[in-house]
Amino acid sequence: MATTYKYIASVIKTSSKETSPGTIDPGFNVLFHTVIPLTGEVTPIQLLETEILNNATATIEAQLNDKFEVEIKIEGLKKLKVSETFVLSGFETDALRQANFKFNLHYFPLTTGARSAHIVNYLNENGGIRLYRNGFSVAPYGEKYNDWLGLDDSARRRKILAPHANLNFIGSAEILDVTGKIFDETSSREGLINNDAFKELRDALYQIVIEAVKRITSARGKKVTASQQGYLKENQTIEEKLDSSSNKLLEDVRKLNVSEDDTSTDDNSTNLDLFSDEVGSDSNSSLSPSAVAQSLKETLEEQQQYIQELIDEKNMYRVLSSTGLAIAEFTHEIQLYLDGLMLSGKQLKRLVDDNNEALDSVGKMDSNIDMLVSYTDFFTETIRNNSQRQKNPIEIRDVFKAFFDAMRPTIERRSYMLDISFQGDEFWTRPMHISELSSVLMNLFTNACKAIIRSGQPNGRLKVQVTSTDDDHIIRFEDNGDGIPKENWGRVFNALFTTELSQGVYASESEQMKGMGLGLTITQDIIYGLDGDISVVEPSVGYKTCIEIVLPKAKENEIPEDAY
C-alpha cells in the first residue's frame, strides 16, 4: 500500500482552486481509507509520509498576491514559535503570474534532536522539491540526486550555514500551462525547455527557499551565515561571557571619554548656530559620567561573577586531573596483585569443593574479581591511548564492542538488559583519540546506571543505537531510569550543574548517585572538539532518557586502506 501511495502521489497533484464565482475545484490529493469492522467507521490510514511530515520543523508556502508579488508564508511546527508572511523583494515576475504559480514545502533541518533514523532514511530517499505541470509530475525534478534548484551545491559551499540541501525538504511547486506556450517539455519529455520562463521559475524557487530558511534559522536561535555580525549563541561559555563583558567595559570607557571631551569644549563653539538641529544630537552616543560609572560598576560585578564561575570550573578540572593520575597509578599497582587473587580464588575453590555454601561465596568472589579485571583492563587501555598524541579514524563498532565487553560483568551482575544495534554500512569517524570516545561511553554508561538505581527500577534497560548517514554517525544512548525534566535538557551540559552534590561517605546509595555536574560538560567538550553535537532528545517508548550524539563521518581518504 505504501508503494502504491508513493507512486500515485508522485505522479499527479493539483491544488484546490476557484474555477468560477462560487465554484471550487477540490483538486487531487491521495488518501487511503479503511473500514473498522466492528463499527463500520471509515477512517483515513496514516501512511509513512504523513508521519514524516508531522515531524517537520516548519512549513513554507508561496504564491502571488493581488499585486503579483511573490508572497511567502512560514509557520513553525512543534516547538518552533514563528509565524511570518513577507514579500520577496526585488523580484519581478511575469511567467509565474501567467502560470498560476503555487509552492509549498515541509522543512527538516535534521539537526540534533530531530535525527530519528527512520526520518533520515526516508528523506535520503524521498527528500526534494518536485515540479508539477498541469497536475502531473515533471521528471526528473525533485528525484534523488537531481539538484535542479542548486540547493545541494549551495549547501556544500556553506555560505549559508542553515541546512538547506534537497534532503531537508519535502514539497512541490505547481504551475499551470495547458497550451505549453510558457513552460514546454523537451522532445525527450525529460524536463522542461530551459527558456527565460523556466529560469525565472528556478530563480524564484531558490530565493524563496533561501529567504524562508534564513528566517526559520534565525527564529531557532542559530547562526545563519558565516559572516553574520553580532550573533550570540544562546548558551555562551564563561570565556565568551567574559569576552562580551570586557567589550562592554571598553565601550563604556569610550563613552566616558566622549562625555569628558564634550564638557571640555568651548561653550561658544557649541552655540555658534542657535538654530541648528544638530545641537545635542550626539546625546545617544555619550552618557553622563554618573550613568557611565553605574554601568561600569554593574559590568564589573557581572565579570566578577563570571570569573568566580570560571575559577570554580577550573578548580574542579584540576581535581579531576589529579584524580585521573591517582587512578592511573592505582590501576597499575593493583594489576600486580590481580593474578595472585585469581590463583588464590581457584585454589580456595578446590579446597572447599565439598562445602556448597563456601563454594557459593567463592563463586561470588570470582565474579567480583572478574569485574575488577575488566575495569582495570579498560582503564589501563584508556590511559595508554591517552599518552599517544596521534589521532586516527576510529571504527565505532570496535570501540563499542571493547567497551561493553569490559562493562559486561556490571551489566550481568545488575541484571540489566542491553540492546545494541547498528544501522548503515560504514562506521569510521574523523581522526580522534580512541580514549575520547571511550570516555564519552563511560560517562553515559555510569550516568544511565545511576539513573536506574535512583529510580528503583527492578528491570534496568539500556538501549544503544548507532545510525550511519551520508555525513554523520548518530548515536542514541537510552535508559529507563528516573529521567531528566524537560526544563533541564539544555542545562545538564552546563559546568557544575547537578541536582545535588554527593552527601558524603555515610550517605545512602541513592544520595551517592548524585554527581559533581562535570561529566556531561566534559563529554560535550569532547564532542564539540570533534565538530560533533550532543543533546537530550525524546526517548523511545519504554525509556526515560535519551542522549543523542552526532559525530562526523570519516572522509574517503581518511579510512585506512586495509580497513576491509
Side-chain angles (χ1 to χ4, degrees), residues 233-244:
K233 292 193 299 184
E234 288 185 357
N235 297 315
Q236 291 180 291
T237 63
I238 298 176
E239 289 86 348
E240 289 170 337
K241 290 179 180 178
L242 277 171
D243 185 58
S244 176

Side-chain angles (χ1 to χ4, degrees), residues 393-533:
I394 303 298
E395 222 288 354
I396 289 180
R397 290 173 294 190
D398 292 343
V399 179
F400 275 52
K401 182 180 185 303
F403 176 81
F404 284 106
D405 282 348
M407 298 302 112
R408 190 161 300 282
T410 298
I411 295 172
E412 292 177 350
R413 182 184 180 187
R414 297 179 177 177
S415 300
Y416 289 169
M417 181 183 296
L418 175 63
D419 178 11
I420 304 179
S421 64
F422 295 88
Q423 299 180 9
D425 299 322
E426 294 183 349
F427 293 90
W428 289 93
T429 69
R430 300 292 301 276
M432 61 186 294
H433 295 298
I434 189 172
S435 59
E436 292 178 310
L437 187 53
S438 297
S439 298
V440 169
L441 290 175
M442 174 61 78
N443 184 260
L444 297 181
F445 177 76
T446 54
N447 281 353
C449 291
K450 292 175 185 177
I452 293 172
I453 293 174
R454 287 196 304 265
S455 69
Q457 177 64 251
N459 301 310
R461 287 189 294 163
L462 302 172
K463 181 179 179 180
V464 181
Q465 183 182 58
V466 184
T467 303
S468 179
T469 66
D470 289 342
D471 302 312
D472 302 306
H473 302 299
I474 303 169
I475 303 169
R476 290 172 59 90
F477 203 111
E478 302 182 73
D479 66 74
N480 66 336
D482 56 355
I484 302 173
K486 280 196 174 183
E487 60 268 21
N488 291 336
W489 280 13
R491 300 175 63 198
V492 293
F493 299 102
N494 295 342
L496 305 178
F497 176 82
T498 184
T499 53
E500 187 178 348
L501 294 178
S502 176
Q503 300 299 307
V505 67
Y506 297 109
S508 67
E509 184 178 32
S510 176
E511 290 173 328
Q512 290 284 4
M513 291 302 103
K514 307 293 184 182
M516 293 182 293
L518 276 177
L520 285 176
T521 302
I522 296 172
T523 298
Q524 179 179 251
D525 289 344
I526 292 173
I527 298 300
Y528 281 0
L530 301 171
D531 292 330
D533 207 348

Side-chain angles (χ1 to χ4, degrees), residues 253-270:
V253 171
R254 186 193 66 80
K255 291 177 180 178
L256 184 59
N257 289 336
V258 171
S259 180
E260 289 176 349
D261 291 341
D262 288 346
T263 57
S264 63
T265 303
D266 192 304
D267 292 339
N268 293 330
S269 65
T270 62

Side-chain angles (χ1 to χ4, degrees), residues 31 39 73 288 473:
L31 292 173
T39 63
K73 180 181 181 182
S288 66
H473 302 299

Side-chain angles (χ1 to χ4, degrees), residues 293-343:
Q294 180 62 28
S295 179
L296 285 171
K297 178 183 177 183
E298 292 174 356
T299 307
L300 283 170
E301 290 175 350
E302 184 182 61
Q303 276 210 343
Q304 288 176 342
Q305 179 183 348
Y306 293 150
I307 290 171
Q308 187 58 50
E309 290 179 11
L310 189 60
I311 292 172
D312 292 342
E313 182 178 335
K314 298 305 179 185
N315 284 341
M316 188 60 73
Y317 281 136
R318 189 178 296 112
V319 171
L320 289 175
S321 177
S322 301
T323 304
L325 293 174
I327 290 174
E329 184 66 26
F330 171 79
T331 303
H332 174 73
E333 293 296 328
I334 201 172
Q335 283 185 319
L336 300 177
Y337 301 96
L338 281 177
D339 290 340
L341 278 173
M342 295 175 69
L343 289 173

Side-chain angles (χ1 to χ4, degrees), residues 18-37:
E18 186 176 4
T19 56
S20 61
T23 304
I24 302 294
D25 180 352
F28 183 89
N29 195 18
V30 181
L31 292 173
F32 284 87
H33 293 78
T34 186
V35 177
I36 299 176

Side-chain angles (χ1 to χ4, degrees), residues 178-249:
V178 179
T179 62
K181 292 181 179 180
I182 309 173
F183 300 98
D184 199 8
E185 292 182 327
T186 61
S187 57
S188 63
R189 294 195 177 277
E190 283 292 323
L192 301 179
I193 296 174
N194 193 19
N195 55 19
D196 291 341
F198 180 73
K199 293 177 182 178
E200 181 183 307
L201 171 66
R202 190 171 54 192
D203 291 345
L205 293 180
Y206 177 81
Q207 290 188 44
I208 291 169
V209 170
I210 295 302
E211 289 302 318
V213 166
K214 284 181 178 179
R215 293 169 187 252
I216 293 171
T217 303
S218 179
R220 293 173 55 232
K222 304 294 183 180
K223 192 173 184 179
V224 179
T225 63
S227 59
Q228 183 176 342
Q229 299 296 321
Y231 171 75
L232 292 175
K233 292 193 299 184
E234 288 185 357
N235 297 315
Q236 291 180 291
T237 63
I238 298 176
E239 289 86 348
E240 289 170 337
K241 290 179 180 178
L242 277 171
D243 185 58
S244 176
S245 183
S246 297
N247 290 333
K248 185 179 177 183
L249 279 173

